[in-house]
Amino acid sequence: MSSDHFSSLSQTLLMGPGPSCVPEQVYTALSRPTIGHLDPRFIAIMDEIKERLQTLMQTDNRLTIPVSGTGSAGMETCFVNLIEKDDPVLICKNGVFGMRMEDVATRLGAAVDVVEFDWGTPVEVDALRSKLAEKAYKIVAVVHAETSTGVMNPVAEIGALLKGCDSLYLVDCVTSLGGMEVNVDEWNIDAIYSGTQKCLSCPPGLAPISFSAKAIEALQARQSKVPNWYLDLNMIVNYWQGQQRAYHHTAPINMLYGLYAALGVILEEGMDQVFDRHRRVHEYLVAGLEEMGLSMAVAAESRLPMLNAVAVPEGVDEAELRRRLLQEHDIEIGAGLGVLAGKIWRVGLMGHTARQENVDRLLQGLKILL
Ligand code: PLP
């Protein structure tokens, strides 16, 4: 069989919206021997992954596990386990992933309301407060790091607003986890999901999630069965917790080795040091871009460190520039999505990618091409 496809693969510098560059320790872990998924040695790894995720998410939630599937599987897991038909759900929407939440919740038969903000601007807490004064919601959902626009939403402030109210607080931290603080317990988050291929710097394939005691109560109080067998947490927990593990599905064993190593890399560097590195490298990128006459598409106070939306200058063919960056410099950056298509580039500084030397390489490439 020909291996031509593999021989053309290079260590492309991944500076798009994900996947990000993968450190050597994670590649090594992925290639460790596959063992049985109920082997006690594998269960020991599963248990430590849960602990490492609890540390990174800053939570004591016992139900903190990686779901088999990409970030969208994490989104589905949170919604499908918590929503029953006609449940009132409020979604904050200011980009593609808020839109995806709306789609997922609507398909599950929820009565979905949306509080919408311009793409490129953050969720406004006051507007949300007014909306919440009008009606009680079972779930209020928001995306922490809106990857489609580069905007950081005020997840901690919304958590404070929801404190003491009956609503479940559901948060997407696909792009933020591992690149900036995510504090599940302090921010009153009840259900949260992430993905491996962004700031965790592990290839795509797993979706860490965490459910609070309040979310588990809501799950247990359901009148109807969770309408999705694969993502039903009632069964999945018996695979991830307790003395006797019950087979549910065959875990993606080597992917979990990869996640275990990726979390180890972050915790070894130190969470604060990792978040600080993301912020510093982001500032270095912004300074370099501005020096070249380029400008950022998001106001400074709402910018994400790990996803930088750069305005495409007048008269530049943005797709051609991305094509040449990839072909001639082996650097990938992302295009704009939805209403921002053609208007921005999305430069990712996620996890292992977030290093000054990578920014230097990108700036050099941009200087040549522009
Ligand atoms: N949520 C956000 C904020 C994302 O950026 C993404 C992916 O880019 C997703 C959800 C979906 O994750 P995946 O593409 O891994 O299914």
Side-chain angles (χ1 to χ4, degrees):
M1 204 165 76
S2 158
S3 63
D4 278 348
H5 291 299
F6 287 157
S7 63
S8 71
L9 299 182
S10 53
Q11 281 291 346
T12 300
L13 177 51
L14 296 171
M15 301 189 91
S20 58
C21 294
V22 175
E24 218 38 60
Q25 297 96 310
V26 174
Y27 282 132
T28 305
L30 287 164
S31 64
R32 297 276 182 209
T34 303
I35 59 174
H37 72 114
L38 291 172
D39 184 316
R41 293 169 297 174
F42 184 64
I43 287 172
I45 294 175
M46 292 168 86
D47 286 346
E48 206 163 325
I49 290 173
K50 288 192 292 182
E51 280 173 29
R52 288 180 178 188
L53 282 176
Q54 282 178 314
T55 305
L56 190 57
M57 290 181 164
Q58 303 192 68
T59 182
D60 292 331
N61 289 343
R62 282 194 62 222
L63 179 41
T64 303
I65 58 169
V67 168
S68 304
T70 64
S72 305
M75 186 189 290
E76 293 266 8
T77 302
C78 290
F79 282 108
V80 82
N81 280 277
L82 295 176
I83 288 178
E84 290 189 86
K85 196 166 164 10
D86 297 328
D87 278 346
V89 172
L90 180 62
I91 292 177
C92 302
K93 185 164 85 172
N94 58 345
V96 165
F97 295 101
M99 262 169 67
R100 189 174 297 183
M101 281 179 160
E102 180 186 8
D103 189 9
V104 168
T106 305
R107 284 166 192 247
L108 292 168
V112 179
D113 285 344
V114 166
V115 53
E116 199 157 356
F117 305 89
D118 288 342
W119 288 36
T121 69
V123 170
E124 288 165 29
V125 179
D126 284 342
L128 189 58
R129 186 180 287 113
S130 310
K131 195 85 186 167
L132 290 169
E134 289 166 14
K135 185 170 160 182
Y137 290 96
K138 177 172 179 186
I139 297 172
V140 176
V142 66
V143 177
H144 190 195
E146 188 35 272
T147 327
S148 61
T149 63
V151 163
M152 173 171 55
N153 282 321
V155 165
E157 289 85 338
I158 297 171
L161 176 69
L162 291 173
K163 196 174 177 136
C165 105
D166 288 339
S167 305
L168 294 163
Y169 185 25
L170 195 163
V171 173
D172 173 318
C173 70
V174 170
T175 286
S176 52
L177 189 70
M180 59 197 286
E181 185 180 28
V182 173
N183 196 327
V184 170
D185 289 355
E186 224 176 276
W187 299 349
N188 302 308
I189 296 170
D190 293 301
I192 189 162
Y193 60 90
S194 190
T196 41
Q197 77 274 25
K198 312 271 186 183
C199 294
L200 300 182
S201 278
C202 182
L206 291 169
I209 61 145
S210 185
F211 268 45
S212 71
K214 183 171 157 188
I216 293 171
E217 243 173 66
L219 170 63
Q220 290 170 345
R222 289 180 68 101
Q223 302 294 310
S224 61
K225 238 178 168 176
V226 173
N228 180 307
W229 183 90
Y230 193 66
L231 302 176
D232 185 344
L233 286 172
N234 291 299
M235 292 187 287
I236 293 176
V237 288
N238 297 326
Y239 183 42
W240 277 87
Q241 286 174 10
Q243 286 299 316
Q244 279 297 326
R245 305 294 166 100
Y247 163 69
H248 176 256
H249 66 282
T250 311
I253 295 157
N254 291 56
M255 272 311 298
L256 287 161
Y257 296 166
L259 175 59
Y260 173 71
L263 292 168
V265 169
I266 293 172
L267 297 178
E268 197 169 307
E269 183 177 344
M271 282 161 46
D272 288 343
Q273 285 74 8
V274 170
F275 304 156
D276 194 49
R277 172 165 55 79
H278 279 81
R279 196 187 40 73
R280 277 186 288 106
V281 176
H282 154 76
E283 284 165 4
Y284 183 73
L285 171 73
V286 173
L289 291 170
E290 287 179 347
E291 205 177 299
M292 287 174 61
L294 292 168
S295 54
M296 306 301 289
V298 173
E301 63 278 10
S302 302
R303 281 177 202 155
L304 289 168
M306 70 288 287
L307 196 288
N308 297 270
V310 184
V312 175
E314 201 72 27
V316 172
D317 180 341
E318 76 81 23
E320 176 65 4
L321 179 127
R322 279 187 294 110
R323 190 190 62 74
R324 290 188 63 193
L325 252 189
L326 185 60
Q327 282 190 353
E328 297 167 26
H329 299 270
D330 210 6
I331 302 173
E332 178 182 275
I333 63 168
L337 290 179
V339 295
L340 296 176
K343 296 187 180 150
I344 60 166
W345 288 302
R346 291 182 301 150
V347 178
L349 293 172
M350 298 181 178
H352 193 54
T353 301
R355 300 190 188 274
Q356 193 167 318
E357 61 268 28
N358 293 337
V359 172
D360 287 335
R361 224 178 109 184
L362 173 69
L363 292 174
Q364 186 59 25
L366 288 176
K367 271 180 196 145
I368 294 167
L369 295 176
L370 283 170

